[in-house]
Amino acid sequence: MLSDVTTPQDLDDRFRQTLAALGGPGPRRDPAEPVTDGATLTGARALDLFDAQVTSRQLDLAGRWLRSFGEGFYTIGSAGHEANAMIAAVLRPTDPALLHYRSGAFYCVRAAQAAPEPAGTAAAPDAGTTGADGADATEAPAAPQAGGEDADSPTGAATGHETEVAGEVRDAPTGAATGHGTEAADGSEGAGDRHERPWAYAAAARDVLRGMVASAREPVAGGRHKVFGHPDLAVVPTTSTIASHLPRAVGMGLAVERLRRTETRRAGGAVRIGGADDAPAPWPPDSIVVCSFGDASVNHASATAALNTAGWYDHTGLRIPVLFVCEDNGLGISVRSPQGWVETALRSRPGIRYFAADGANPVEAYAVAEEAAGWVRRHRRPAVLHLRTVRIMGHAGADAETAYRSPAEISADLDRDPVVALARALVEAGVATAEELLARYDDIGWQVRRIAEEVIGEPKLTSPAEVVAPLAPRRPARVARAVADAAARAAGPGAVARAEAFGGKPPELSGPLTLAQSINAALADGMLDHPRMAVFGEDVAAKGGVYGVTKGLRDRFGPARVFDTLLDETSILGLGLGAGLAGMLPVPEIQYLAYLHNAEDQLRGEAATMQFFSQGAYRNPMVVRVAGLAYQEGFGGHFHNDNSVAVLRDVPGLVIAVPARPDDAAPMLRTCLASAAVDGSVCVFLEPIALYHTRDLYADGDGEWLAGYAEPGAWAAAHVPVGRARVYGVGSAEDLTIITFGNGVRMSLRAAAALADEGVGTRVVDLRWLAPLPVGDIIREASATGRVLVVDETRRSGGVGEGVIAALVDAGYVGAARRVAGVDSFVPLGPAARQVLVSAEAITEGARTLLAR
């Protein structure tokens, strides 16, 4: 009798008992024929999918085994969800996939699809996948059928899936010794015979097992995380379990369709110079995006945002070819999804076609998956496939299900085991006997255990440098060269097009500009140089932004490249995430810094982790423009004067730029665009709202805060590298160093002028970059005077000033230091804001106190 807790041994025993009870098979059927009348699933394909499901199941068992003696670090498995193999089977291996963490069978099928056919093998009649019109897409590689190739021969050169990983050539699919087919009753070889057929899922099994043991040779994350991902399989790694990847999927779908139309028309209503981002799109133009998630995630804000955005765009007439797959096992760890809730929630989504299938019915699941994928590919519109599954062996290895589930409920799930269901269908169809299937099960189990034993001894990451190597690569020389190349194009072959784009009057001939005008001009130059750059956000197109920063861009470059979005910051960033992954250069705008906080995980958990968890195979180049900081006159309050940047500075690898002056804004924006294009950087371009239209510095009408826009020939010389400060000398500049940024620069320069009248020479250091901080410049300028006043317009606790002081301490600075910072408070409305924000007077007093020591 099985115990109340479904252990690996219980599951294995039950599988064997169930197969033994299936009885004799029906009349032998040609594997090329459907398993039942009217079905689209053939016997040959069903056998392949059975092997994929068994491989996934055996990987789950191996994960528990590895964990039992401390060599495995991940036990969340796919048992009960193996019906997702049907979904992979009807897709093309070039369709980008973002996979739920129970997608082992999907991953196995995708790996086999991408592998080349063994030499001399003819594909079975059902090998193609469903095309856009529902016909067989013969150009799509098929899942391997039969083969006569030696099991030890390499089989990956054509696709790169069997490529060298961390100095090792990946093993070819093995299994020549797996003759687990038997002779049929009439003396001929049975349909399940595999005497010369290699095990198609060895590579996938090795990938997954390497992830479980945190092997540095794991092909996508390299031991940093257990994910389903591989650059050669179009499987994009996702690190979340709660649907935060869904907004990215919507962005990918939108980008795939926009790029498809752009490549077809080579238009977009824009004058263009053309830069280095004309590389082919990463996926074929008729690709669809597939994104899987669990039923509990339906309730998550990220899922709600993604489904709403997909439907919203569909309602407006824009096409987003995304197939959402909700794998519904009825549980979110221990919390049950209310009966009928998931179906009701998914069916009610406007603009999203609903499909449903039972994972315990493999013939139905295959047919419905085929229909859903074909519908999305044909119509280029979003759909959701509600796949009913079960969860076997609990949430993870440490999960004691009996605390919240009855033995009867656990047993009922086991009765709906999708692997058993497919085995039953194969036996009833006469495609294989129970004994043949059990032989396949045992042999795959042996193969998985053998690979598990091999990967245990593989190298792990052993140093901080190894761990962080792919996090945020910085190649400043290449970024500088990219800026210089853009300048050469703008001044040379693109000069005429540039003049046309600016209406015959380029910004360098327009006289001194404000900060907002300089950013606008730099955005236009960026659009000219990067044909796949897109600017989008709330009110950025028709209105030109609430502060006019994007004014005129839509008219110049067309609505395909400058467009308004719905009011949802999670979706705005998700669009950027997907667009960047698809080969575009997205520049989304967050209207106010306070609005970022409800969506910041899209930056932290999704954008900033992409290179880290894919070893740079996937990138999220993006420049997020954010209007923020305080000091607006006549319009303020918490939401429009937010000075909280700590959450951004805490994200590893994120670049944070804060331009204070017009003559810094344009070159810093060019640097961010180049860094995103060259290094895949995720940049936040934080624009001080109060300085957008500021013209004067010391007195009304002096125009000292305006600056000219550099002509292209001067861009290279004016290049501002990431992490380099700007220093202003006032008076002798020998007595005091003020380190600041943003609004603090203008206030500090005013304070320095007052101090100069008292005979005090000051150097004002504009950090310009809050991450990475310009530590070298900080130390040099602090040491030059031995007195440092840190002026931090953010909050005293968690503010930028803490980082500056820490940098000084870490470097062994022994001079005097003091801070003037904002109060730990939200910014109130009207004149009350002055009570909690830094002022020029406070800076002056702080400097005098420091000088008096």
Side-chain angles (χ1 to χ4, degrees), residues 362-395:
V363 175
E364 174 195 275
Y366 186 89
V368 173
E370 195 172 36
E371 180 186 5
W375 188 90
V376 174
R377 198 180 307 278
R378 182 169 59 253
H379 294 285
R380 318 303 295 167
R381 296 177 63 188
V384 60
L385 171 54
H386 182 193
L387 182 67
R388 292 176 178 85
T389 65
V390 293
R391 193 188 70 189
I392 298 175
M393 292 197 299
H395 175 72

Side-chain angles (χ1 to χ4, degrees), residues 778-793:
I778 290 171
I779 303 306
R780 184 189 64 249
E781 298 304 320
S783 301
T785 64
R787 298 184 184 89
V788 174
L789 181 67
V790 180
V791 175
D792 180 5
E793 66 174 288

Side-chain angles (χ1 to χ4, degrees), residues 163-483:
T163 53
E164 186 172 351
V165 179
E168 173 193 90
V169 178
R170 288 166 55 93
D171 290 359
T174 58
T178 68
H180 37 261
T182 60
E183 191 170 280
D186 60 2
S188 62
E189 286 191 346
D193 190 86
R194 292 166 55 93
H195 286 297
E196 296 183 353
R197 173 182 174 159
W199 177 37
Y201 305 109
R206 190 174 296 275
D207 290 348
V208 174
L209 288 166
R210 280 173 163 165
M212 289 180 180
V213 302
S215 167
R217 293 176 179 169
E218 192 273 333
V220 67
R224 291 167 184 83
H225 194 49
K226 162 62 176 67
V227 297
F228 289 114
H230 200 297
D232 296 335
L233 306 181
V235 178
V236 179
T238 63
T239 62
S240 172
T241 62
I242 51 169
S244 63
H245 57 296
L246 269 65
R248 182 202 298 276
V250 176
M252 290 168 66
L254 183 65
V256 164
E257 191 63 10
R258 283 184 179 273
L259 289 173
R260 182 178 76 89
R261 298 189 179 200
T262 299
E263 294 300 319
T264 301
R265 296 196 300 256
R266 300 301 298 169
V271 177
R272 53 172 276 176
I273 294 172
D277 51 358
D278 278 327
W283 307 297
D286 61 346
S287 296
I288 67 173
V289 179
V290 62
C291 178
S292 59
F293 57 101
D295 56 289
S297 293
V298 167
N299 307 297
H300 195 271
S302 296
T304 299
L307 294 167
N308 181 71
T309 299
W312 188 87
Y313 274 113
D314 186 79
H315 186 76
T316 67
L318 293 175
R319 297 302 181 228
I320 298 184
V322 176
L323 177 61
F324 298 101
V325 179
C326 178
E327 299 182 21
D328 181 2
N329 64 29
L331 288 163
I333 303 184
S334 65
V335 179
R336 290 173 173 78
S337 294
Q339 186 68 33
W341 168 250
V342 176
E343 179 178 351
T344 300
L346 294 176
R347 276 188 179 276
S348 65
R349 297 290 180 185
I352 299 180
R353 180 71 173 265
Y354 177 83
F355 296 87
D358 185 355
N361 184 336
V363 175
E364 174 195 275
Y366 186 89
V368 173
E370 195 172 36
E371 180 186 5
W375 188 90
V376 174
R377 198 180 307 278
R378 182 169 59 253
H379 294 285
R380 318 303 295 167
R381 296 177 63 188
V384 60
L385 171 54
H386 182 193
L387 182 67
R388 292 176 178 85
T389 65
V390 293
R391 193 188 70 189
I392 298 175
M393 292 197 299
H395 175 72
D399 181 24
E401 285 192 284
T402 51
Y404 55 90
R405 302 185 80 191
S406 68
E409 186 180 354
I410 295 172
S411 180
D413 272 3
L414 289 166
D415 289 340
R416 288 173 42 78
D417 185 338
V419 184
V420 170
L422 186 53
R424 182 179 294 110
L426 286 166
V427 172
E428 291 175 353
V431 177
T433 67
E435 292 78 12
E436 291 168 353
L437 297 180
L438 185 58
R440 297 166 90 102
Y441 174 84
D442 284 339
D443 186 73
I444 291 173
W446 179 85
Q447 297 279 15
V448 168
R449 182 66 64 91
R450 177 184 61 82
I451 296 174
E453 291 173 346
E454 292 174 0
V455 301
I456 288 173
E458 290 186 347
K460 308 293 193 293
L461 299 172
T462 57
S463 71
E466 279 188 286
V467 172
V468 303
L471 174 63
R474 298 273 184 264
R475 294 177 288 185
R478 292 192 184 185
V479 171
R481 185 163 64 248
V483 172

Side-chain angles (χ1 to χ4, degrees), residues 484-497:
D485 291 345
R489 288 188 291 268
V496 174

Side-chain angles (χ1 to χ4, degrees), residues 581-605:
L581 204 61
M584 297 179 67
L585 182 55
V587 184
E589 178 186 293
I590 301 299
Q591 199 166 83
Y592 289 101
L593 177 58
Y595 299 171
L596 175 67
H597 301 312
N598 62 50
E600 55 206 19
D601 186 56
Q602 291 295 300
L603 288 179
R604 184 202 65 83

Side-chain angles (χ1 to χ4, degrees), residues 98 236 248 252 282-283 576-583 610 618-621:
L98 298 94
V236 179
R248 182 202 298 276
M252 290 168 66
W283 307 297
L577 290 167
L581 204 61
M610 180 51 69
Y618 290 106
R619 315 187 317 164
N620 261 129

